[in-house]
Amino acid sequence: MPYYFLTEEDHRLLQEFIRQSKRHRINTPSRPGTERSWDIAEDHQAPEVYVAKPQDPGGTGTGTGDGSGIPGLTRATGTASYDEPGVAACDIYKIYDNNGTPELRPIDGLERQVYNVSDAPIPQDWITTYRTKGGAWVTPPIPGLIGFMLAEDHPGRGIAFEVWLGQWNSAIIQWEYPDYIGTGTIQNTVTAIDWRYDVPYPAQCAQGLGVWRPSDEFGKVIEVVALDCSSMGCT
């Protein structure tokens, strides 16, 4: 049986080949047929998770937002076949180290349409977003309670009713209701349901907190978890 020995030149060439392979490999060998060379100019090869923020009204981005964040998922009802995720233009940021102080700085010219696949709207604030294998950018659900205000008198336990959604105002530390335009007008509302037992059922403009729930009939509803015992009245 013949034996073969590597020369010093063979060793050098093999080491160089291994070094070049490691430097250019961006996927593990356990995924054959998917290895590609890194090119920093290729967006599809960029890091998979980013910090983002929905665009402000009047911003410089091409997809300038309306300042309300990212709307929630619209669930299919009636003749609709598919759920529709909420979407908004977002600027993409990177955390920079400024002499030991971390800073969130925008990546010049990098903006993406970011999809929200949860029922709850995403507020106008910092979020994380990641790219799916299909190329879409999505943000993870943000759990939490949703503020609302009754758009009509509470009809009672287990009866659906309409509410206006709240937006949290950090400057005054309370919920605001931008869709409320006065008594007697019910528009831009969402459906809510209250299954609490032996509690007061207040009049229009009482405020409360709830969580999003899927619904075959309405697509999604807010389930009431807390509600004023009485209304302070509509202003």
Side-chain angles (χ1 to χ4, degrees), residues 87-166:
V87 61
C90 295
D91 293 317
I92 307 301
Y93 290 75
K94 182 178 180 180
I95 299 178
Y96 287 84
D97 185 350
N98 184 8
N99 296 321
T101 301
E103 296 178 345
L104 279 166
R105 298 184 183 180
I107 301 175
D108 291 341
L110 186 56
E111 62 177 66
R112 290 292 181 268
Q113 296 292 315
V114 177
Y115 294 91
N116 177 14
V117 295
S118 68
D119 290 307
I122 302 296
Q124 182 80 6
D125 207 343
W126 298 109
I127 59 173
T128 56
T129 180
Y130 60 89
R131 184 178 48 252
T132 67
K133 288 188 177 297
W137 291 66
V138 299
T139 185
I142 299 178
L145 297 174
I146 302 297
F148 65 84
M149 183 166 68
L150 298 188
E152 58 183 317
D153 293 346
H154 196 305
R157 183 175 185 266
I159 303 174
F161 55 95
E162 295 301 298
V163 300
W164 290 292
L165 283 183

Side-chain angles (χ1 to χ4, degrees), residues 14-90:
L14 283 172
Q15 288 174 342
E16 177 64 17
F17 174 77
I18 293 171
R19 186 183 68 82
Q20 291 288 341
S21 297
K22 287 181 177 179
R23 185 167 67 88
H24 288 288
R25 176 175 294 156
I26 64 171
N27 283 317
T28 62
S30 61
R31 299 168 63 185
T34 62
E35 295 186 8
R36 306 181 293 264
S37 295
W38 170 270
D39 184 346
I40 197 168
E42 297 179 15
D43 177 67
H44 68 276
Q45 301 299 332
E48 295 295 328
V49 181
Y50 286 95
V51 176
K53 191 174 186 180
Q55 290 181 357
D56 295 315
T60 57
T62 58
T64 300
D66 62 4
S68 62
I70 309 177
L73 179 79
T74 300
R75 293 188 176 269
T77 57
T79 59
S81 300
Y82 302 101
D83 293 346
E84 298 178 3
V87 61
C90 295

